[in-house]
């Protein structure tokens, strides 16, 4: 959430920067400033009225002590009237404060000045491309390979739950487990503290990281308990620190966690959603950092290097993109996407987003630290997938297929116990 002080002091700049995300903030900013101005006036009147009541209450006590009961009782009537007015003002203040908060929740994060301009994924900037692309005819898509080697049963998943809920079997299931352990081991070796969070969160947590109200339609909602199945471990991991005041010496904080993830993805047709390309349930390992503001962009680059190292060890061809304003998430200030090349589909598949949210999430969840001057300051939060399983598995199958079977990357062999699927 953008700090109200930022909007008060730089309203035109906020509108200008949000236009980079193709978000017209003109009317919302005006409503926020109007509500804020009235709220501050009400607060000023409240403070004055309360100060006056306190002063009069002291006078009443002195009058009673001096035997001037009649005068004291007259002032008591004034205090009683003031109390009624105070209640009215407090109600109005609460209404305005709620309105202001609701409006602020509907403003996306301000993009960093380094964000490329553009509206669609075609406008994203390629930062790096590495690895050799297989360009051969006759390569089988991962869904055909999964069927041939009995790794994944999409129809059985459809029978049990519905489309987008595959059943992994045999060596397919063992590969899932191998990736889980490999990613967590690599993350912990890089200094991330392993955490296993809940896979459901309450409404406050979903609002805290920005999934609500922006992505309400994409989340599975358990209505009786008013809980949400998580779309990413970012939500529970970041909310560990909701309402927390840290010491400067506590930073940086680096945590990692594995969770199943659930998304009500839109669309149900074509190659974009076939096989493992787009699922309602999938597994993912996440990394999250809490940083001092001056260190957050250096941390972002370090996270990018770490995710890149995972793809290098998996021997997959990949590219890194800086997302343009129009393709960024609601909450991000800057995002790098990682894509891996799918040899049979002859297309790039996103496998990770690594983002800096600056103070946007921290302001929502009231995550602060006491700086060297002893002042409370909002921290910066960052997160990234390290990594999402389905498309990694799809590309492992497609890129490593041979006439004899599917070769397993060397780093996964100790985890899964086999070097070939045949």
């Amino acid at each position: 959430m953008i700090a109200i002080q930022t909007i008060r002091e730089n309203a035109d700049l906020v509108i200008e920067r949000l236009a980079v995300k193709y978000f017209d903030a003109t009317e919302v900013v005006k409503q926020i400033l109007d509500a804020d101005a009235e709220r501050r006036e009400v607060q000023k009147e409240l403070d004055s009225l309360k100060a006056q009541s306190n002063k009069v209450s002291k006078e009443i006590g002195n009058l009673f002590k001096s035997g001037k009961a009649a005068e004291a009782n007259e002032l008591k009537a004034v205090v009683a009237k003031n109390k009624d007015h105070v209640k009215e003002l407090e109600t109005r203040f609460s209404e305005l404060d709620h309105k202001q908060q609701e409006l602020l929740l509907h403003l996306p994060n301000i993009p960093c000045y380094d964000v490329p301009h553009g509206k669609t994924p075609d406008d994203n900037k390629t930062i790096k491309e590495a690895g050799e692309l297989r360009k051969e005819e006759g390569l089988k898509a991962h869904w055909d390979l999964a069927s041939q080697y009995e790794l994944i049963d999409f129809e059985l998943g459809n029978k049990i739950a519905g489309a987008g809920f595959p059943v992994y079997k045999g060596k397919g299931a063992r590969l899932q487990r191998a990736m889980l352990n490999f990613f967590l081991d690599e993350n912990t070796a890089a200094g991330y503290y392993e955490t296993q969070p809940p896979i459901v969160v309450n409404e406050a947590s979903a609002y805290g990281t920005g999934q609500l109200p922006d992505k309400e339609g994409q989340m599975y909602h358990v209505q009786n308990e008013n809980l949400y199945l998580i779309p990413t471990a970012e939500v529970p991991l970041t909310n560990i620190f909701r309402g927390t005041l840290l010491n400067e010496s506590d930073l940086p904080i680096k945590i990692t966690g594995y969770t199943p993830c659930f998304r009500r993805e839109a669309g149900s047709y074509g190659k974009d959603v076939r096989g493992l390309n787009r699922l309602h349930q999938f597994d993912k390992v996440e990394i999250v950092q809490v940083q001092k503001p001056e260190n957050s962009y250096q941390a972002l680059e370090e996270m990018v290097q770490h995710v890149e190292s995972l793809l290098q060890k998996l021997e997959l061809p990949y590219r890194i993109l800086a997302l343009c304003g129009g393709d960024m998430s609601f909450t991000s200030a800057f995002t790098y996407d990682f894509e891996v090349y799918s040899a049979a589909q002859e297309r790039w598949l996103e496998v990770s987003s690594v983002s800096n949210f600056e103070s946007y999430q921290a302001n929502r969840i009231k995550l602060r630290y006491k700086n060297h001057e002893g002042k409370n300051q909002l921290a910066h939060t960052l997160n990234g997938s390290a990594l999402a399983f389905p498309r990694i598995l799809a590309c492992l199958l497609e890129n490593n297929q041979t006439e004899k079977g599917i070769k397993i990357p060397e780093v996964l062999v100790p985890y899964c116990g086999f070097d070939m699927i045949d």
Side-chain angles (χ1 to χ4, degrees):
M1 186 164 64
I2 301 173
I4 183 61
Q5 186 174 350
T6 299
I7 298 175
R8 285 183 197 138
E9 297 175 355
N10 303 285
D12 291 340
L13 182 61
V14 169
I15 293 169
E16 177 187 320
R17 293 304 300 154
L18 289 180
V20 174
K21 284 190 170 183
Y22 290 84
F23 185 92
D24 185 357
T26 308
E27 183 58 30
V28 180
V29 166
K30 180 182 181 302
Q31 291 178 35
I32 289 170
L33 291 175
D34 287 347
D36 183 58
E38 186 178 352
R39 186 184 68 93
R40 294 170 80 185
E41 283 299 315
V42 171
Q43 181 68 67
K44 185 178 177 181
E45 188 175 353
L46 256 176
D47 292 342
S48 175
L49 200 57
K50 286 179 178 179
Q52 180 186 349
S53 294
N54 289 337
K55 182 180 178 181
V56 172
S57 294
K58 289 180 180 179
E59 291 180 15
I60 290 171
N62 292 331
L63 288 171
F64 273 121
K65 288 178 183 178
S66 303
K68 301 178 180 178
E71 293 180 39
N73 286 325
E74 287 180 10
L75 288 180
K76 283 180 70 176
V78 172
V79 170
K81 186 178 180 180
N82 281 355
K83 282 184 178 179
D84 291 338
H85 192 29
V86 164
K87 287 181 181 178
E88 292 173 3
L89 289 173
E90 286 177 337
T91 299
R92 181 55 182 160
F93 179 86
S94 179
E95 291 171 350
L96 289 166
D97 189 61
H98 178 75
K99 179 181 179 180
Q100 179 178 290
Q101 292 301 309
E102 283 293 308
L103 290 166
L104 285 168
L105 286 172
H106 285 82
L107 276 184
N109 197 4
I110 298 170
C112 170
Y113 280 99
D114 291 333
V115 168
H117 286 261
K119 192 171 186 178
T120 71
D122 293 335
D123 300 315
N124 293 336
K125 182 180 178 182
T126 301
I127 303 300
K128 182 177 181 179
E129 187 173 318
E132 190 173 335
L133 308 188
R134 285 188 70 173
K135 298 284 188 179
E136 306 167 31
E137 291 186 4
L139 291 177
K140 294 181 180 180
H142 68 270
W143 49 82
D144 292 325
L145 294 167
S147 176
Q148 177 182 343
Y149 294 104
E150 298 184 353
L151 305 174
I152 308 168
D153 195 325
F154 294 101
E155 291 303 318
L156 183 57
N158 190 38
K159 170 188 173 182
I160 295 170
F165 297 92
V167 174
Y168 299 88
K169 304 190 300 184
K171 288 185 175 180
R174 288 170 69 182
L175 265 178
Q176 287 282 101
R177 181 154 49 96
M179 287 192 291
L180 187 163
N181 288 321
F182 169 64
F183 294 151
L184 284 176
D185 283 353
E186 289 292 311
N187 294 347
T188 54
Y192 290 88
Y193 182 76
E194 185 175 345
T195 307
Q196 187 171 8
I199 62 171
V200 295
V201 293
N202 55 31
E203 197 173 66
S205 293
Y207 271 100
T209 45
Q211 277 65 39
L212 294 181
D214 180 53
K215 290 183 170 58
E216 184 170 7
Q218 296 181 26
M219 298 177 71
Y220 285 96
H221 185 205
V222 185
Q223 293 185 350
N224 288 347
E225 287 78 19
N226 195 26
L227 296 172
Y228 293 85
L229 275 67
I230 61 169
T232 167
E234 166 202 343
V235 184
L237 290 178
T238 306
N239 273 280
I240 288 172
F241 307 101
R242 176 155 48 92
T244 301
L245 177 61
L246 301 168
N247 292 316
E248 189 170 19
S249 59
D250 296 327
L251 302 177
I253 292 173
K254 301 168 66 176
I255 56 175
T256 185
Y258 154 76
T259 63
C261 302
F262 304 87
R263 297 183 186 178
R264 299 174 60 192
E265 298 280 9
S268 58
Y269 302 100
K271 64 181 181 180
D272 289 351
V273 298
R274 192 169 181 186
L276 297 173
N277 288 349
R278 193 176 296 275
L279 301 175
H280 292 304
Q281 177 183 333
F282 59 96
D283 294 313
K284 185 155 68 85
V285 172
E286 198 80 359
I287 51 176
V288 167
Q289 288 202 32
V290 181
Q291 283 277 357
K292 292 193 291 185
E294 61 267 29
N295 297 335
S296 67
Y297 276 95
Q298 179 183 342
L300 178 66
E301 297 302 322
E302 291 171 355
M303 292 171 75
V304 167
Q305 291 171 16
H306 176 67
V307 173
E308 183 178 13
S309 74
L310 298 178
L311 295 174
Q312 289 171 342
K313 289 176 181 178
L314 291 171
E315 304 170 52
L316 289 170
Y318 65 91
R319 67 182 185 182
I320 306 172
L321 308 174
L323 296 194
C324 68
D327 198 33
M328 290 175 66
S329 74
F330 188 86
T331 51
S332 174
F334 194 98
T335 296
Y336 288 106
D337 265 9
F338 282 82
E339 296 180 340
V340 171
Y341 188 71
S342 168
Q345 299 178 76
E346 299 181 333
R347 56 193 292 256
W348 294 94
L349 301 178
E350 179 199 331
V351 294
S352 174
S353 288
V354 184
S355 300
N356 188 348
F357 304 100
E358 297 186 1
S359 63
Y360 189 84
Q361 289 181 335
N363 193 29
R364 284 184 173 224
I365 64 176
K366 305 307 175 194
L367 167 56
R368 299 162 298 159
Y369 70 97
K370 194 174 291 290
N371 65 22
H372 63 280
E373 296 176 347
K375 296 179 180 178
N376 295 344
Q377 182 173 349
L378 289 172
H380 278 194
T381 61
L382 307 93
N383 86 276
S385 306
L387 289 159
F389 294 14
R391 294 173 186 171
I392 290 290
L393 180 55
C395 292
L396 284 176
L397 298 179
E398 293 185 7
N399 292 337
N400 295 327
Q401 59 185 293
T402 70
E403 293 181 359
K404 296 181 180 180
I406 301 168
K407 188 177 182 300
I408 302 302
E410 187 176 341
V411 290
L412 291 183
V413 173
Y415 291 97
C416 63
F418 52 86
D419 60 6
M420 182 72 74
I421 296 174
D422 51 22

